[in-house]
Amino acid sequence: MDFPKVSKNAGHILRKLRIKKGMSQTQLAKELGLNNSQHLWNMEHGTNSLTFDVIDKASRVLKVSPNVFLAKKVKQNV
C-alpha cells in the first residue's frame, strides 16, 4: 500500500498560498492552532516539516486541496 508523502517544497507552497490569500504569518498560525508564528516560519522555510494535521487545517483555511502539499507519485519501472 502506498501512503501519501509530504512534498519537499510543501512549506514553500504554504507560504505562497498564505501570501496570495493576504494572510500574515500570525493570522495563519492562529488559524492552524500553532503556539506562535515562529513555528509557521520554520515550516515555510523547511526547518520543520508539515504534518498531515497541519496540511488538513491549512487546506481548509486556505481553501485548497490537501493534495497541493503532497508529493506527486512517480511510476517506476521495476
Side-chain angles (χ1 to χ4, degrees):
M1 178 186 292
D2 289 332
F3 292 100
K5 294 182 183 177
V6 177
S7 174
K8 290 180 183 177
N9 64 341
H12 178 72
I13 294 167
L14 178 63
R15 183 173 185 269
K16 284 178 65 173
L17 291 169
R18 174 184 60 77
I19 291 169
K20 186 176 180 179
K21 294 287 184 178
M23 295 182 79
S24 70
Q25 285 182 332
T26 303
Q27 289 172 316
L28 184 55
K30 185 176 180 179
E31 291 285 336
L32 298 178
L34 302 175
N35 292 332
N36 56 54
S37 60
Q38 180 65 46
H39 191 128
L40 179 60
W41 188 95
N42 290 341
M43 287 189 283
E44 290 183 348
H45 291 85
T47 305
N48 293 358
S49 299
L50 272 71
T51 63
F52 289 115
D53 184 49
V54 168
I55 288 173
D56 179 54
K57 290 176 184 175
S59 65
R60 283 187 271 128
V61 170
L62 298 171
K63 296 181 176 37
V64 296
S65 168
N67 292 334
V68 301
F69 301 107
L70 303 178
K72 307 262 189 277
K73 292 184 181 180
V74 177
K75 186 176 183 179
Q76 296 179 343
N77 294 330
V78 189

